[in-house]
Amino acid sequence: NNRTQFISEIEFEHVKEVYVEQAFLDYRINNSMNLRAGLMLIPMGIVNEYHEPPTFNGVERPLLDKYIVPSTWRELGIGLTGNIPNANMRYQAYIVNGFASYNDGPTLRGKDALRKGRQKGAESFMSSPNLTAKVEYYGFRGLNIGLSGYFGNTQSTLYNGLEKDDVDAVAHADSSVVGISMLGLDLRYNVRGVLIRGQLNYANISNTEQYNFISNPDDEINDLGSALFGYYIEAGYNVFQSAKNIKTELIPFIRYSEVDTHYKTASEIEKNDAYHRTIITTGLGWKVSPGAIFKADMQFIKTKADESADTVFNAGVGIWF
């Protein structure tokens, strides 16, 4: 009816994978508040919410949106969303299940940070609820500024069946949990064919010293960082902007980004310079319709551990319907 919507998204990607990436019920309480529940995207950054291929430049998503904001990042939860036109603002606030930091072994590590901890709704479990929220301001033409937050503890299967008086077991379970506090700032500007995007994220991870040394059942040392940091700035231009008879978009772009999943480490873990990556991406996208695009780009990837850059060529087709 006019108050109730069901939103779903099924993605077929990398030739062999099929995922349900969104599936939630949205109920309009009044003109400025909606109740939402189900499998929802975490409102962090730009690409995680707008991750369909025709909505971003480049074949691959920015590495910031792979390791620090592990797109596509979705979890089960419930919360409120809404629009406040008088203030030119939108908001989202959800309670969700968090990352799984331990499930038959530790899942978080320095190389890909939080990515392997996503539960994605499938067989999710919750030992501690997490809070996520975002506020967006759109008071100037073509400009959107977003401020995001994510706070809570990770989930661990080691708590299952524990007795409160089993001190050793509880201590071991506590070591398998880390606290995550993440903040994000993003900007989008789109006027007269000029396309500018920027994003910055910082995440503090607590209890990593215990997690890295105690949570691993094989007594191997894990290397999850205690802070993550990354940013990118991107500029593009639709060269067909002024062509009245051309309805497609041709967008050359360039993006500079830095991602460090060992921005800080606990006292016993040495920072791995290979986890500090600098990436320059330049390419071209031909959007033949709002839901279809041909893409190609070159990436120059350099780590702090190696001054020589790796060069990667990507080409792809993106379809959204």
Side-chain angles (χ1 to χ4, degrees):
N1 56 38
N2 60 359
R3 286 182 177 268
T4 310
Q5 289 182 301
F6 174 69
I7 309 296
S8 65
E9 177 186 5
I10 300 174
E11 272 206 14
F12 177 67
E13 56 188 358
H14 305 303
V15 181
K16 62 180 181 178
E17 298 176 353
V18 179
Y19 285 115
V20 177
E21 299 212 333
Q22 299 183 72
F24 61 84
L25 192 66
D26 191 272
Y27 177 75
R28 180 168 59 85
I29 298 173
N30 55 44
N31 290 335
S32 60
M33 184 179 293
N34 291 29
L35 176 65
R36 182 174 291 183
L39 182 66
M40 304 177 298
L41 299 173
I42 302 299
M44 180 65 68
I46 301 171
V47 170
N48 196 57
E49 289 193 272
Y50 306 103
H51 58 269
E52 295 79 12
T55 65
F56 64 89
N57 290 320
V59 178
E60 299 289 346
R61 299 165 186 172
L63 285 189
L64 170 60
D65 291 298
K66 183 175 182 180
Y67 295 129
I68 298 179
V69 182
S71 301
T72 302
W73 181 12
R74 70 274 194 193
E75 300 293 355
L76 296 171
I78 186 169
L80 299 173
T81 72
N83 188 21
I84 308 173
N86 292 337
N88 298 310
M89 295 179 67
R90 285 185 290 266
Y91 68 89
Q92 302 176 65
Y94 307 122
I95 296 172
V96 297
N97 68 263
F99 292 102
S101 56
Y102 193 99
N103 191 5
D104 296 327
T107 60
L108 311 180
R109 58 183 185 174
K111 181 180 180 181
D112 42 27
L114 307 172
R115 188 168 185 83
K116 292 186 181 298
R118 298 173 301 164
Q119 298 202 64
K120 309 177 186 178
E123 301 180 358
S124 296
F125 61 94
M126 180 187 290
S127 54
S128 175
N130 285 220
L131 174 66
T132 182
K134 183 174 186 178
V135 177
E136 295 177 85
Y137 177 74
Y138 55 88
F140 297 94
R141 183 190 172 199
L143 179 66
N144 185 289
I145 301 173
L147 178 65
S148 308
Y150 181 91
F151 310 96
N153 294 326
T154 57
Q155 327 290 283
S156 171
T157 55
L158 285 182
Y159 281 101
N160 294 339
L162 285 184
E163 299 293 336
K164 291 184 179 180
D165 58 354
D166 191 343
V167 178
D168 291 338
V170 171
H172 189 62
D174 287 344
S175 76
S176 68
V177 172
V178 299
I180 300 173
S181 299
M182 184 185 297
L183 292 174
L185 180 67
D186 61 79
L187 176 148
R188 286 172 286 162
Y189 181 71
N190 185 352
V191 171
R192 297 178 181 175
V194 176
L195 309 167
I196 296 175
R197 285 185 169 197
Q199 184 173 319
L200 182 148
N201 289 90
Y202 177 85
N204 183 73
I205 306 176
S206 63
N207 200 44
T208 56
E209 188 166 7
Q210 288 192 58
Y211 178 78
N212 284 329
F213 282 88
I214 303 176
S215 66
N216 198 317
D218 298 325
D219 294 326
E220 296 177 2
I221 297 177
N222 202 11
D223 67 343
L224 177 65
S226 59
L228 318 173
F229 177 75
Y231 70 91
Y232 72 79
I233 184 72
E234 174 185 303
Y237 179 71
N238 176 20
V239 298
F240 292 161
Q241 174 70 22
S242 302
K244 296 181 179 180
N245 298 323
I246 301 178
K247 303 301 181 182
T248 63
E249 298 180 25
L250 186 66
I251 304 172
F253 77 95
I254 186 168
R255 179 196 305 129
Y256 178 87
S257 61
E258 287 196 42
V259 175
D260 190 355
T261 54
H262 261 188
Y263 189 68
K264 294 180 181 179
T265 57
S267 58
E268 299 295 327
I269 300 296
E270 186 175 343
K271 291 181 67 173
N272 190 332
D273 286 340
Y275 298 163
H276 185 163
R277 308 168 181 94
T278 300
I279 310 101
I280 298 174
T281 305
T282 183
L284 188 67
W286 181 28
K287 188 180 289 188
V288 294
S289 81
I293 190 169
F294 296 93
K295 299 181 174 188
D297 65 55
M298 293 287 293
Q299 288 187 313
F300 305 93
I301 305 171
K302 184 172 65 174
T303 71
K304 198 172 181 180
D306 185 359
E307 289 300 316
S308 62
D310 291 331
T311 303
V312 180
F313 173 75
N314 301 300
V317 177
I319 304 167
W320 178 25
F321 62 92

